[in-house]
Amino acid sequence: ILSGILEKLDLRIVVAEQGLKWIPEFRQAMLELSNTDPLPYFKKFFWFTTEPEESDFLSLAQELGFDRLLFATDWPHGNSDIGGSNQFHDTDLLKEMVANGSISLVDYDLITHKNYLELKNRV
């Protein structure tokens, strides 16, 4: 982020298995240490796998942008964590969010498949 290499190489980076919960703390640390806000870089060069069960999912997803999210499931992790215990109902949560107006159908399409297609096709 600080070196300029992201812009120079137009990198596309996928952060997998980390969710979104770490972003606010990392952002604050970057601002304090370098006076650089990583959020604009996250919104241009990064995609993040996430699960809708994650605490603060909606607020973090809206701040980051649904065009940066990649749907993830913890199948076949089993009941070892909240995602694994919900593994057969992952998209149900997203469908409920559409039904109650928490997210739009466009957001749903982005996180469930369109972002993957754009990355694959390098759109």
Side-chain angles (χ1 to χ4, degrees):
I1 289 174
L2 298 176
S3 71
I5 197 161
L6 296 172
E7 294 93 343
K8 184 177 181 181
L9 299 177
D10 192 27
L11 292 177
R12 293 172 186 228
I13 300 167
V14 174
V15 179
E17 296 286 327
Q18 301 302 311
L20 305 176
K21 288 172 39 170
W22 61 274
I23 291 175
E25 186 176 335
F26 179 82
R27 185 177 182 202
Q28 187 61 39
M30 283 287 292
L31 285 165
E32 290 173 10
L33 293 171
S34 67
N35 204 29
T36 301
D37 187 351
L39 194 59
Y41 296 91
F42 288 162
K43 291 181 174 189
K44 184 171 182 181
F45 300 105
F46 290 80
W47 286 261
F48 304 86
T49 64
T50 187
E51 300 171 39
E53 303 92 349
E54 188 176 352
S55 62
D56 297 329
F57 168 78
L58 272 178
S59 62
L60 291 169
Q62 289 165 343
E63 181 175 25
L64 191 58
F66 276 84
D67 63 326
R68 299 288 116 191
L69 306 181
L70 301 169
F71 176 75
T73 180
D74 268 345
W75 184 87
H77 292 180
N79 293 329
S80 62
D81 61 23
I82 191 169
S85 60
N86 195 43
Q87 63 187 328
F88 299 113
H89 306 286
D90 284 330
T91 58
D92 291 349
L93 233 100
L94 290 170
K95 289 175 186 174
E96 285 175 29
M97 290 177 188
V98 170
N100 70 26
S102 297
I103 67 172
S104 69
L105 190 53
V106 170
D107 295 338
Y108 176 87
D109 287 346
L110 286 171
I111 190 173
T112 58
H113 65 285
K114 286 190 176 179
N115 291 335
Y116 281 105
L117 293 173
E118 287 186 16
L119 278 171
K120 178 182 175 250
N121 297 325
R122 296 202 51 97
V123 174

